[in-house]
Amino acid sequence: LTDCAPIVIAYEKGYFTKYGLDMTISAEASWSSIRDKVAFNVLDGAQMLAPMPIAMTLGLFGFQKPMVTGLSLDLNGNGITVSSALHERMCEADPNAMETRPMTARALKKVIDLDRAAGRPQMRFATVFPFSSHYYQLCYWMAEAGIDPHRDVELVIVPPPQMVEQLAQKQIMGYCVGEPWNQQSVAMGIGRTLITSYEIWNNGPEKVFGVTRDWADRHPNTHRAILMALIEAARWLDADENRAEAVRLISDRRYVNAPPEVIERTMLGRYQYDYEDAEVDLPDFNVFHRYAATFPWRSHAVWIISQMMRWGQIDRPIDIEQTVASVYLPDVYRDACRQLGLPYPLVNAKIEGKNGEPWMLESSAEPITMGPDRFFDGRIFDPAALDVYIDQPTANSPSPR
């Protein structure tokens, strides 16, 4: 995936070596492989979907492994793509909804209703993992239009590199995935991207660097050194003059193994929703360092838990504050930034969704320019209010405000 970039750059540009680290990068076949290899000490740490350390700590995979993260690897980076045939049906069902941006799922809701009335089978949509921002973004987007993603469609798990082929073979009708697999379908003319994750939630969390709690406790200096290397790599990546070189490096067959011309669309901020349309400017599609992107915001973790509860993945009372505090380690991040002489937030959480424009974070070692954080449906998420919905999460209940 494109957002492996901080790890690749830290390796290729010598940041790991700079901090005394002898690092080997292992490309894995699936998120479950990464989960298991980190849990059982085959890997020391990994790029992880942001919900994975929380799910592992809570034992939601059937086994429990306390995990921590001291660093967010990036913000944004995903998209929801459907087949060209489904896109055409959606345009016929509700042309006005299909011309509105950010695009809602209301046209899809009408197609689903038409299929149900005609006795057709449910459409199948794919995400990359049950505990992923992709899964929650797809469900959140559908639910806003009145679609119950657990009843009105069939959701399946497909590894990201297989999404394009399965869409081409009509095994799935749409998916939510990271790049370059949305732009690949668009480039091939078999899919249309409806909405990006940036549009669903401006600058929402995507991947983190995860290690077991035991490993972090035994290797605090190594952990800090890794974070320092990754923070430096993230800073390098967010310099415009470096993005073209980053595309060349991560497109290598050892890493993303995809055409550079496809990867560069998102890495250089030029996005194409439809192969017949012109590229549009989305400079914040991939954010690695600016907007305090590398900081492990506990409000991000609380939002993730809210979606776990909303979609029935957590069906028992939990101590939310204790869980988040045990997994997300902002003080470890601050220690790394102090060593680097970089500013860092002084607060652990913030209200999400209230800023439609750039803003300044004053509660920091020095003011930090932040990006918009609005949700496409206008909701405001206050992490302190989560307990309002803890007892009876349902698919149709609103996300906590």
Side-chain angles (χ1 to χ4, degrees), residues 88-151:
E88 184 176 341
R89 292 189 66 197
M90 292 171 66
C91 289
E92 293 173 354
D94 193 334
N96 290 331
M98 295 297 287
E99 293 175 358
T100 303
R101 186 101 18 229
M103 191 177 293
T104 70
R106 292 169 193 174
L108 178 62
K109 174 70 163 61
K110 291 185 177 180
V111 173
I112 289 171
D113 290 344
L114 289 170
D115 283 354
R116 182 183 295 112
R120 299 190 184 101
Q122 290 182 337
M123 286 183 285
R124 181 179 294 142
F125 283 78
T127 63
V128 304
F129 204 62
F131 300 96
S132 66
S133 56
H134 315 71
Y135 182 85
Y136 305 134
Q137 289 161 6
L138 183 62
C139 289
Y140 191 102
W141 179 73
M142 287 184 171
E144 186 275 339
I147 300 169
D148 185 334
H150 290 171
R151 297 179 181 177

Side-chain angles (χ1 to χ4, degrees), residues 230-280:
L230 290 172
I231 291 168
E232 287 219 46
R235 289 182 72 204
W236 185 91
L237 276 162
D238 268 1
D240 290 341
E241 63 270 20
N242 294 333
R243 284 292 179 100
E245 183 180 356
V247 169
R248 178 180 61 80
L249 289 171
I250 67 175
S251 64
D252 189 274
R253 63 192 304 270
R254 294 170 296 161
Y255 304 126
V256 180
N257 192 27
E261 61 270 20
V262 174
I263 293 175
E264 71 179 9
R265 289 182 183 173
T266 54
M267 285 290 285
L268 301 185
R270 303 194 304 264
Y271 204 78
Q272 194 170 20
Y273 293 93
D274 188 316
Y275 73 95
E276 295 179 342
D277 294 343
E279 295 175 341
V280 299

Side-chain angles (χ1 to χ4, degrees), residues 75-76 197-205 283-284 287 290-291 300 350-360 369-375:
L75 306 175
N76 313 316
S197 61
Y198 175 81
E199 294 167 287
I200 294 173
W201 179 8
N202 297 165
N203 297 303
D284 285 347
V287 175
R290 59 185 178 272
Y291 313 149
H300 288 172
K350 53 189 172 70
I351 294 176
E352 306 287 347
K354 70 176 184 178
N355 297 290
E357 301 292 336
W359 57 286
M360 295 299 294
T369 301
M370 303 292 288
D373 56 22
R374 64 188 171 190
F375 293 90

